[in-house]
């Protein structure tokens, strides 16, 4: 899987009615510090289209959202985080993201409709997506999403930093996320498990406890209890399980158990490979693990080699 982080941030505005927001630069850095941290190893995100984090135009945004590179469109193997920050405006019953050239009195013609950004992503092959809308009135985006002809993928996660009639405070959400990550990485984070990715409910719940003065809004969440590959768990600890192919990883025995219990029995001793014979039994056991599900009972007297045969199968 390929992990991508995109930030759409506007700090400077030509219209004096729209206050400049230089703090958006720090907000982008705060989230990039989580997603693009090399300590995530094979879960690390790459910051794509960095020009979008510096007062982008509508044309730049539309072009960038077509794919991670100019010559490649999005694929199902791409996991994408899109962070949107700056001024959010309400007009014509919709939510809009203000750009540098936006005119406060003519938002529909000079800003970008937030639902259109999501609709553009909806037309791609992306199946693992996390969108964070960190603007005023972000909760109002749900109205535009609800008007789509087809439902969004159930694996998409879209969160807003404020209710539809609520203003968002600078750094409020990013600070809450940073504080939540610190907690998740500490001793208290153990209650959320050691898996590679966080469950949506765990992340949302942890952030909400740190977010003061505004409310984190679920704009599109289908399965709160499910893990999401766009939520790398800071408390993750590499498994001590024996090395196996990915589909069997959840069932793998611990590495120490393999070395101390299974391998010696499979060898038939401690001095080289002594296991021999039992060809018919081994064929029967291998068939049982590769054909339709069924039950197989291995019987025999004490010392007849039951454990050795099963250990041979395991190893």
């Amino acid at each position: 899987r390929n992990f991508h982080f995109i930030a759409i941030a506007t700090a400077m505005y030509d219209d004096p009615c729209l206050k400049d927001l230089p703090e958006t630069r720090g907000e982008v850095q705060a989230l990039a510090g989580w997603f693009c941290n090399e300590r995530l190893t094979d879960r690390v995100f790459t910051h794509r289209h960095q020009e979008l984090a510096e007062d982008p135009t509508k044309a730049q945004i539309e072009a960038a959202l077509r794919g991670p590179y100019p010559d490649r469109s999005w694929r199902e193997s791409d996991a994408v985080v899109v962070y949107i920050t700056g001024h959010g405006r309400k007009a014509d019953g919709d939510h809009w993201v203000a750009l540098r050239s936006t005119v406060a009195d003519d938002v529909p013609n000079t800003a970008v409709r937030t639902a259109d950004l999501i609709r553009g992503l909806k037309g791609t092959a992306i199946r693992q997506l996390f969108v964070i809308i960190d603007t005023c009135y972000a909760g109002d985006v749900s109205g535009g999403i609800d008007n789509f002809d087809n439902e969004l993928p159930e694996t998409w996660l879209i969160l807003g930093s404020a209710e539809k009639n609520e203003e968002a405070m600078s750094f409020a959400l990013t600070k809450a996320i940073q504080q939540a990550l610190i907690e998740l990485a500490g001793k208290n984070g153990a209650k959320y498990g050691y898996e590679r990715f966080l469950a949506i409910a765990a992340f949302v719940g942890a952030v909400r406890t740190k977010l003061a003065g505004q409310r984190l809004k679920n704009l599109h969440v289908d399965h709160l209890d499910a893990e999401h590959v766009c939520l790398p768990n800071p408390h993750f600890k590499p498994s001590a399980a024996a090395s196996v192919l990915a589909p069997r990883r959840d069932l793998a025995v611990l590495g120490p158990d393999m070395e101390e219990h299974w391998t010696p029995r499979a060898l038939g001793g401690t001095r080289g490979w002594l296991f021999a014979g039992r060809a018919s039994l081994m064929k029967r056991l291998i068939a049982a693990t590769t054909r339709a599900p069924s039950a197989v009972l291995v019987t025999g007297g004490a010392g007849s080699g039951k454990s050795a045969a099963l250990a041979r199968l395991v190893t």
Side-chain angles (χ1 to χ4, degrees):
R1 190 176 298 280
N2 303 302
F3 297 89
H4 312 274
F5 172 73
I6 296 175
I8 301 174
T10 301
M12 310 302 289
Y13 297 88
D14 297 334
D15 190 329
C17 294
L18 296 173
K19 177 186 175 184
D20 289 343
L21 299 173
E23 54 269 30
T24 60
R25 307 285 193 242
E27 291 177 327
V28 171
Q29 291 176 358
L31 282 191
W34 172 27
F35 292 108
C36 304
N37 193 317
E38 292 296 333
R39 286 180 293 181
L40 294 176
T41 60
D42 62 344
R43 299 169 296 153
V44 66
F45 287 70
T46 301
H47 193 165
R48 304 291 185 196
H49 303 299
Q50 296 189 32
E51 71 278 5
L52 299 188
E54 300 180 0
D55 309 335
T57 65
K58 183 177 180 180
Q60 284 179 310
I61 296 172
E62 291 176 346
L65 292 186
R66 297 191 187 109
Y69 320 112
D71 58 347
R72 176 164 94 70
S73 58
W74 296 111
R75 301 170 180 169
E76 286 192 19
S77 59
D78 292 317
V80 186
V81 171
V82 178
Y83 174 61
I84 302 171
T85 184
H87 280 301
R89 309 292 285 183
K90 297 171 65 174
D92 291 349
D94 267 312
H95 183 273
W96 305 77
V97 176
L99 305 176
R100 179 164 189 159
S101 60
T102 295
V103 178
D105 293 334
D106 190 19
V107 169
N109 291 314
T110 59
V112 176
R113 183 161 48 188
T114 314
D116 287 343
L117 297 178
I118 297 172
R119 182 182 283 107
L121 293 167
K122 183 172 176 286
T124 70
I126 299 174
R127 289 296 172 267
Q128 300 293 338
L129 176 70
F130 178 23
V131 179
I132 309 170
I133 304 170
D134 190 5
T135 72
C136 294
Y137 323 121
D140 206 35
V141 178
S142 59
I145 295 175
D146 291 341
N147 289 328
F148 290 166
D149 290 338
N150 300 314
E151 294 184 357
L152 297 176
E154 62 179 15
T155 49
W156 281 23
L157 170 62
I158 304 177
L159 301 177
S161 64
E163 294 283 0
K164 63 181 181 179
N165 295 316
E166 184 179 51
E167 295 186 357
M169 295 179 289
S170 297
F171 276 114
L173 179 59
T174 50
K175 283 184 178 179
I177 290 176
Q178 287 180 312
Q179 292 172 356
L181 291 174
I182 292 173
E183 180 179 354
L184 290 168
K187 293 182 179 180
N188 291 336
K191 64 183 178 182
Y192 299 111
Y194 300 92
E195 301 302 322
R196 287 163 53 81
F197 304 102
L198 290 167
I200 296 173
F203 173 75
V204 171
V207 173
R208 279 180 173 166
T209 62
K210 309 298 182 183
L211 185 59
Q214 59 196 67
R215 177 175 171 78
L216 188 64
K217 180 74 174 177
N218 295 342
L219 301 177
H220 177 76
V221 182
D222 272 5
H223 303 290
L224 272 172
D225 293 332
E227 292 180 7
H228 202 288
V229 298
C230 291
L231 297 174
N233 185 359
H235 210 80
F236 167 68
K237 290 185 178 180
S239 174
S243 178
V244 294
L245 296 176
R248 296 173 178 165
R249 226 165 257 163
D250 291 341
L251 302 176
V253 300
L254 294 177
D257 289 349
M258 177 68 81
E259 296 303 319
E260 296 171 12
H261 177 84
W262 294 104
T263 299
R265 284 164 175 76
L267 291 173
T270 58
R271 297 182 179 181
W273 190 268
L274 303 178
F275 187 95
R278 307 284 185 180
S280 297
L281 173 60
M282 293 311 302
K283 288 180 179 179
R284 176 70 183 89
L285 293 177
I286 291 170
T289 63
T290 56
R291 295 177 182 173
S294 62
V296 176
L297 183 65
V298 179
T299 64
S304 63
K306 300 185 298 298
S307 295
L310 293 177
R312 176 77 180 97
L313 180 67
V314 169
T315 57

